Amino acid sequence: MHMAFFLLLGASLSRYLLRHPWEPRSPWIIGLSAALAVLYVLGPAFAQRARRATTRRTVWLAGVVAVWMVLVVLAPSFAWCAVPLFYTGMRTLPPRAAVVLVALLTLFVVAAQLRLAHGGFDPNLVIAPPAVAAVATAVFVHAERLAARQRALIDDLIRTRRELAATERREGTLAERQRLAMEIHDTLAQGLSSQQMLLQAADRTWEGDPATARRHVRTAASIAEHNLAEARRFVHDLAPADLAEGGSLEEALRTVALRESAGFRVDGSPAPLPERVQSALLRIAQGALANVREHAGATTAAVTLTYLDDQVVLDVADDGRGFEPAAAAPGGVRGHGLPAIRARVQQLGGTLTIESAPGEGTVLSAAIPLSLET
């Protein structure tokens, strides 16, 4: 639109100079044309200060329109510059004031066209300028509505993205809290519970069987040392201590089983597993053996790690008192251990199976697909 204004201004000045010999008013027309061009160029500078100096923009527009009107009175051919001025006025003024300005400019264009006709009334000269002004106004209003709708859509998109980011942060926080809760339950809480039981047993046998009491105390100290290592790993967000020491999953499970006086066996050909799968299987074994120690009253327990073609299976079996598996289902009355194990298995896309009955022991089986990471 700016380019159109300067092209029309230059064309109008050229037309006047070509069709009219040098006249006393020619210097005025040339000077006013240059002044109008300079004023129009200053428009963007005023527009940049729109938020701070709206009055300045209005004064600038008034100056541009006044110079243009004087030019139209002196040389009617400058009326062609009105269309760009329509848009300039509608961008600068409020809607009602802009309509008034467009009507005023249209009247000047009609008057200029009648002067150029040199007698003889032509209806087109009266109808065409208002029609052009109406079309220009309609196009501008439509464009403004589209721009406003686009700005509203962009604002909605930005707001939605912010809400989504906040939701993701909240979900991430909740997931991390749940993970830490399971980690603490499967390691520190279980270790502290074992220490408490061992120290209570040592206190009961201290007078009658000092050797057994000291053995309980040493075992409690060993568990405390292991828990301290786990706590340090939490701080650094590393793998479980048994895995972080550089050993394989099989060695870590064998160490955990030995610590809980349980047997351990590996079936199938070991395959490389992702770190988070190894960590989850180790935590599942720790949680299951802790449940055996605290709740089952078992004399023997066994841990089996089986590698199949499409999955790896961890089984923890005991000959304890058993229970009703329905009580361990979601919404049951069991403690935090089994729900934590079930959550770990679900996070890895696996399945958890519990076979048990009162007085017949328990077999916990966690199957994790090997294709998880691929």
Side-chain angles (χ1 to χ4, degrees), residues 111-197:
Q113 293 297 318
L114 292 176
R115 286 180 58 190
L116 289 175
H118 300 294
F121 179 77
D122 187 351
N124 288 334
L125 299 179
V126 179
I127 297 175
V132 173
V135 171
T137 303
V139 171
F140 179 83
V141 171
H142 181 66
E144 285 295 304
R145 289 178 178 175
L146 290 179
R149 189 178 305 169
Q150 185 179 24
R151 287 193 296 268
L153 290 176
I154 293 174
D155 292 340
D156 289 341
L157 177 60
I158 294 175
R159 183 170 58 255
T160 301
R161 290 179 60 183
R162 289 175 179 173
E163 293 175 355
L164 179 60
T167 300
E168 291 178 348
R169 285 194 296 270
R170 287 194 298 268
E171 291 179 352
T173 300
L174 293 176
E176 184 64 11
R177 288 178 179 176
Q178 183 180 8
R179 185 188 71 83
L180 290 176
M182 291 189 297
E183 295 282 348
I184 293 173
H185 175 271
D186 293 344
T187 55
L188 299 182
Q190 298 289 1
L192 292 173
S193 177
S194 299
Q195 294 176 56
Q196 182 184 26
M197 295 173 60

Side-chain angles (χ1 to χ4, degrees), residues 125-333:
L125 299 179
V126 179
I127 297 175
V132 173
V135 171
T137 303
V139 171
F140 179 83
V141 171
H142 181 66
E144 285 295 304
R145 289 178 178 175
L146 290 179
R149 189 178 305 169
Q150 185 179 24
R151 287 193 296 268
L153 290 176
I154 293 174
D155 292 340
D156 289 341
L157 177 60
I158 294 175
R159 183 170 58 255
T160 301
R161 290 179 60 183
R162 289 175 179 173
E163 293 175 355
L164 179 60
T167 300
E168 291 178 348
R169 285 194 296 270
R170 287 194 298 268
E171 291 179 352
T173 300
L174 293 176
E176 184 64 11
R177 288 178 179 176
Q178 183 180 8
R179 185 188 71 83
L180 290 176
M182 291 189 297
E183 295 282 348
I184 293 173
H185 175 271
D186 293 344
T187 55
L188 299 182
Q190 298 289 1
L192 292 173
S193 177
S194 299
Q195 294 176 56
Q196 182 184 26
M197 295 173 60
L198 289 168
L199 292 176
Q200 289 175 348
D203 183 65
R204 288 193 300 269
T205 60
W206 192 266
E207 298 294 337
D209 191 356
T212 301
R214 283 192 291 271
R215 186 170 63 254
H216 289 331
V217 172
R218 287 194 296 270
T219 305
S222 176
I223 295 175
E225 181 180 1
H226 179 75
N227 278 6
L228 179 60
E230 289 286 359
R232 289 171 177 168
R233 298 302 176 185
F234 287 153
V235 174
H236 296 285
D237 195 25
L238 297 176
D242 293 310
L243 287 175
E245 292 173 356
S248 63
L249 174 62
E250 293 78 11
E251 295 175 354
L253 289 174
R254 183 176 287 106
T255 300
V256 171
L258 180 62
R259 189 183 303 129
E260 297 291 342
S261 300
F264 176 71
R265 187 178 76 252
V266 178
D267 292 336
S269 301
L273 299 176
E275 291 183 1
R276 68 191 192 107
V277 175
Q278 297 185 45
S279 176
L281 290 174
L282 181 59
R283 295 304 191 200
I284 291 171
Q286 289 175 328
L289 290 174
N291 285 342
V292 172
R293 181 182 65 248
E294 295 183 9
H295 305 296
T299 57
T300 60
V303 178
T304 304
L305 182 65
T306 305
Y307 290 93
L308 302 176
D309 292 337
D310 59 346
Q311 62 182 353
V312 57
V313 182
L314 177 69
D315 296 317
V316 180
D318 67 81
D319 59 356
R321 61 176 62 95
F323 62 96
E324 290 291 346
V333 296

Side-chain angles (χ1 to χ4, degrees), residues 59-100:
V59 172
W60 164 79
L61 178 62
V64 171
V65 172
V67 174
W68 173 80
M69 287 181 174
V70 174
L71 275 174
V72 172
V73 171
L74 296 177
S77 60
F78 283 90
W80 293 106
C81 299
V83 176
L85 292 180
F86 290 163
Y87 287 96
T88 302
M90 287 184 286
R91 283 198 309 267
T92 305
L93 300 176
R96 293 184 179 179
V99 171
V100 173

